[in-house]
Amino acid sequence: MLLQKLNEYADRPDMHMPPRLYTNAPVRYIIELDAGGNFLALTDTAGTDKATKRGVWHEVPEIVKTSGVRAFILAGNADYVLGFVGEAGKPAKVAQRHTAFCELVDQCAVATADARILAVSAFLQGDPVGKCGLPQDFNPAARITFRVNDVFVIDLPSVQAFWADSVDEKNSKAPEAKCLICGLRRRTALTIEKVKGIPGGQMGGTSIISFNAAAFLSYNLESCLNAPVCESCGARFTKSLNALLRAQQSHIIIGNLAYVFWTREPKAKFSFATIITEPTADLVKQLVTSATRGREGAVTALDEEEMSRFYATALSGSGGRAVVREWIDTTVGEAKAHLARWFRLQEIVPQFGEYTPLNIRQLAYATVRTGDRNNPPPPNISRSLLRTALAGVPLPDDLLYQAVRRNRAERAVTQQRAALIKMVLLSQRPDFEEDDMVELDTTNTEPAYLCGRLLAVLENAQVKAINTTTIVDKFYGTASSAPATVFAQLIRGAQPHLSKLHRDHPGIAVNIERNLNEIISGLNTFPKTLTLQQQGIFALGYYHERARRWAAKPASDGTQITNASTDSNDLTKKEQIS
């Protein structure tokens, strides 16, 4: 199904397919010649930005190389094109490659009878390295091609036809079989172009279809006959995937995972990649509003863009092979509705300032050490987040475990981890309300939630009294997993802090005691242990209670005014629990 949809993508009117056996690749050096084959200049096209640092992108001849000497027509690196022997080069091997390149150019000149190919052939006679006068920063591994009288010779239709015919002649013994993509009986592609840009793959590209050991073969079928694909379909699906991996609007790369998006028709203008990687409050608001209208209206009211088929796949590299980790086939409208729900799931009161939507990288990196960009999250983290965003499936508990574990390791709950925890918990509840768990819920009587709030209040008492946070530093892990073993000790330890605050800052002390009474009135006893889900709820209670403190405005006497209940019971309940 995946390869069929990529094959169909090649038929889109906005999808330019390179000529057969050509591909888009960077060309750094252009040898400028006149009509007589005289050298004019060596143009270096390398730029300073990421897109052009290896040269300008151009359609060049290419097939999958096998071992041995294999020259491409009128393009290649310095050892093939110029016979250049570098410091670590082997003269005999370079001479063999250069001879094969020159022979192919001569054959093309005879077959096409084009004066421009004859000009290139004339230039190659003698010493092409000496004619070029190579600069000191010359890169012999970069691709080189020719331009005669301002015309790229590799762009000539006669050259393109010659190249296809020469390859067909070498592949003429390829067996025929029924193509798994188009269903027609055609000559099987012995080699298929590599897919470039997949993380974890080789620099030269990765293969979608590959057999290189007997363990992968069956029914006495050799190599490509195990998954026969005709040359046309093989070229089309790889060129489509390479184009999607080059376009900024059609793919996302996070750590070791590449996620690719496309639609069957070019009608859909909505950019999933942009809003997932660079969400803004306005973009998300428009998306949520659009999705709400779609739910309320009839299906027939959806416009053509909403009804367009939407496809997505997740890819990673394993050596020379591409690993397909995800496949989604839905409509643009359904994907947008799931994405709108994904953003509602992550909404949570911010630590500072106004709330801004979190992008996919912020959520994925919440599962690894804060600030460590050299330690990317495992591919399954990003894959699960994107699968929920586009297909609406619940997030697995593994993400909850990763976030809870980081909370315990760092003894802190960041906004990103709190949002991720909330997403996991609510995604498993399809009936959640949009304002669930966004901010402090004083009506929530779950013991785990109240325990999280209680730790935040006790921490506040310590900070206000002696300006230190050793309670959380020492006890967050135990408090979040086995509250009964530690909270009695923490409450007793808070009494000196409250006494000091009553003496120095009575307004703050009263405010903190109100919060303690509000929380403890809902607790009959402290839980002995908390499950994984309860530890996530504990983290949200802790985060929400701290967020209430961040949002509080200082009063004129220096105390903090919170939205805690003003019903002031004494601390009898607290003393009983302790």
Side-chain angles (χ1 to χ4, degrees):
M1 181 65 75
L2 166 63
L3 299 185
Q4 289 177 338
K5 298 308 177 184
L6 287 170
N7 187 53
E8 292 175 359
Y9 184 81
D11 294 327
R12 283 179 39 147
D14 59 342
M15 172 62 182
H16 171 69
M17 286 289 292
R20 185 165 171 261
L21 299 177
Y22 270 58
T23 189
N24 282 288
V27 175
R28 177 163 181 177
Y29 299 108
I30 303 172
I31 298 175
E32 311 280 358
L33 304 176
D34 63 13
N38 298 307
F39 176 79
L40 300 177
L42 179 67
T43 302
D44 186 350
T45 66
T48 57
D49 60 342
K50 183 178 179 180
T52 61
K53 67 179 181 181
R54 293 192 296 153
V56 297
W57 286 78
H58 200 89
E59 292 174 352
V60 297
E62 186 169 322
I63 58 172
V64 177
K65 272 193 175 184
T66 55
S67 59
V69 176
R70 189 66 168 98
F72 296 155
I73 186 66
L74 295 165
N77 53 22
D79 52 355
Y80 275 96
V81 176
L82 301 176
F84 176 84
V85 182
E87 295 180 0
K90 299 179 180 179
K93 192 171 185 178
V94 171
Q96 188 181 9
R97 291 175 174 178
H98 182 57
T99 299
F101 182 84
C102 293
E103 288 177 352
L104 189 60
V105 173
D106 292 340
Q107 294 169 12
C108 182
V110 172
T112 62
D114 193 301
R116 290 162 290 195
I117 311 303
L118 290 169
V120 176
S121 180
F123 167 79
L124 293 174
Q125 304 303 316
D127 179 20
V129 174
K131 294 176 184 179
C132 289
L134 302 179
Q136 282 190 331
D137 62 346
F138 179 73
N139 180 7
R143 188 176 279 101
I144 306 169
T145 191
F146 299 89
R147 190 157 50 191
V148 179
N149 286 345
D150 296 328
V151 175
F152 280 99
V153 288
I154 53 176
D155 291 346
L156 298 174
S158 58
V159 172
Q160 296 169 355
F162 168 81
W163 174 242
D165 291 341
S166 66
V167 175
D168 286 344
E169 184 177 352
K170 293 182 181 294
N171 294 340
S172 59
K173 296 182 180 180
E176 288 190 353
K178 183 178 180 180
C179 175
L180 295 178
I181 295 178
C182 66
L184 301 177
R185 188 171 184 81
R186 291 178 172 175
R187 187 170 63 189
T188 302
L190 296 178
T191 56
I192 299 176
E193 183 183 334
K194 301 283 188 179
V195 179
K196 299 177 180 179
I198 298 178
Q202 296 177 344
M203 287 293 294
T206 54
S207 299
I208 295 291
I209 301 175
S210 175
F211 303 92
N212 66 345
F216 307 135
L217 308 180
S218 58
Y219 298 103
N220 294 322
L221 298 174
E222 296 182 357
S223 187
C224 58
L225 290 179
N226 277 265
V229 175
C230 69
E231 293 175 341
S232 174
C233 291
R236 285 162 60 88
F237 78 71
T238 52
K239 284 178 168 57
S240 295
L241 187 51
N242 278 324
L244 291 167
L245 285 167
R246 282 195 306 272
Q248 185 177 1
Q249 301 298 315
S250 57
H251 80 282
I252 299 172
I253 293 180
I254 307 172
N256 296 322
L257 185 77
Y259 225 99
V260 184
F261 319 92
W262 74 97
T263 56
R264 177 64 180 87
E265 300 86 10
K267 301 171 185 176
K269 304 300 181 183
F270 181 81
S271 175
F272 285 89
T274 298
I275 195 169
I276 290 173
T277 58
E278 300 176 2
T280 65
D282 289 339
L283 281 176
V284 172
K285 183 178 180 180
Q286 293 172 11
L287 173 66
V288 172
T289 302
S290 173
T292 302
R293 285 201 306 265
R295 289 198 308 268
E296 293 174 350
V299 175
T300 55
L302 297 175
D303 58 24
E304 292 185 355
E305 178 182 0
E306 301 289 300
M307 296 298 292
S308 297
R309 297 305 301 178
F310 173 81
Y311 310 110
T313 186
L315 303 168
S316 63
S318 177
R321 292 182 177 83
V323 181
V324 180
R325 297 185 176 274
E326 191 65 68
W327 169 246
I328 295 174
D329 180 352
T330 182
T331 65
V332 172
E334 289 173 346
K336 288 172 68 174
H338 295 316
L339 187 57
R341 182 177 185 268
W342 189 76
F343 279 111
R344 295 199 307 273
L345 283 171
Q346 65 163 260
E347 186 176 353
I348 197 164
V349 59
Q351 287 179 296
F352 308 104
E354 296 183 358
Y355 170 77
T356 56
L358 300 173
N359 62 49
I360 181 68
R361 289 184 178 86
Q362 291 173 303
L363 292 169
Y365 274 88
T367 61
V368 296
R369 187 166 54 190
T370 301
D372 187 359
R373 293 292 164 174
N374 296 320
N375 180 28
N380 67 297
I381 300 294
S382 305
R383 182 178 66 84
S384 297
L385 286 167
L386 284 164
R387 189 164 180 254
T388 300
L390 300 175
V393 298
L395 285 169
D397 285 338
D398 180 57
L399 272 70
L400 178 60
Y401 168 75
Q402 297 292 342
V404 166
R405 186 181 69 167
R406 289 315 311 164
N407 287 340
R408 295 187 63 178
E410 298 182 16
R411 299 177 295 278
V413 183
T414 64
Q415 179 182 343
Q416 290 80 8
R417 284 200 292 272
L420 182 59
I421 290 170
K422 175 177 176 286
M423 291 178 73
V424 176
L425 295 174
L426 290 190
S427 68
Q428 299 172 359
R429 291 169 41 191
D431 59 340
F432 82 96
E433 298 294 335
E434 292 188 12
D435 58 350
D436 282 354
M437 297 189 181
V438 173
E439 57 187 357
L440 181 66
D441 181 5
T442 56
T443 65
N444 189 333
T445 58
E446 291 187 66
Y449 190 78
L450 293 174
C451 287
R453 291 183 58 194
L454 182 58
L455 180 64
V457 175
L458 294 173
E459 175 194 28
N460 187 34
Q462 185 181 41
V463 170
K464 295 299 183 184
I466 58 176
N467 194 27
T468 184
T469 58
T470 55
I471 284 182
V472 174
D473 290 340
K474 289 184 177 181
F475 299 108
Y476 181 88
T478 306
S480 64
S481 57
T485 63
V486 72
F487 266 108
Q489 174 187 348
L490 294 180
I491 292 175
R492 286 193 297 269
Q495 302 310 311
H497 302 150
L498 292 173
S499 298
K500 185 175 185 298
L501 287 174
H502 271 294
R503 182 190 66 207
D504 300 335
H505 304 285
I508 294 178
V510 169
N511 202 28
I512 290 176
E513 287 184 343
R514 286 175 180 173
N515 290 341
L516 286 172
N517 287 328
E518 174 193 346
I519 295 167
I520 293 175
S521 63
L523 280 168
N524 293 321
T525 184
F526 291 115
K528 291 183 178 180
T529 59
L530 298 180
T531 65
L532 177 62
Q533 285 73 20
Q534 290 171 336
Q535 290 180 52
I537 294 171
F538 177 97
L540 288 177
Y542 174 77
Y543 180 87
H544 285 159
E545 184 63 45
R546 294 194 75 201
R548 171 164 72 169
R549 191 162 73 245
W550 299 324
K553 296 181 180 180
S556 57
D557 63 349
T559 63
Q560 285 187 311
I561 305 301
T562 71
N563 57 359
S565 170
T566 57
D567 295 335
S568 178
N569 301 320
D570 58 24
L571 296 182
T572 304
K573 184 71 173 292
K574 177 186 71 177
E575 293 167 353
Q576 290 174 351
I577 294 179
S578 62

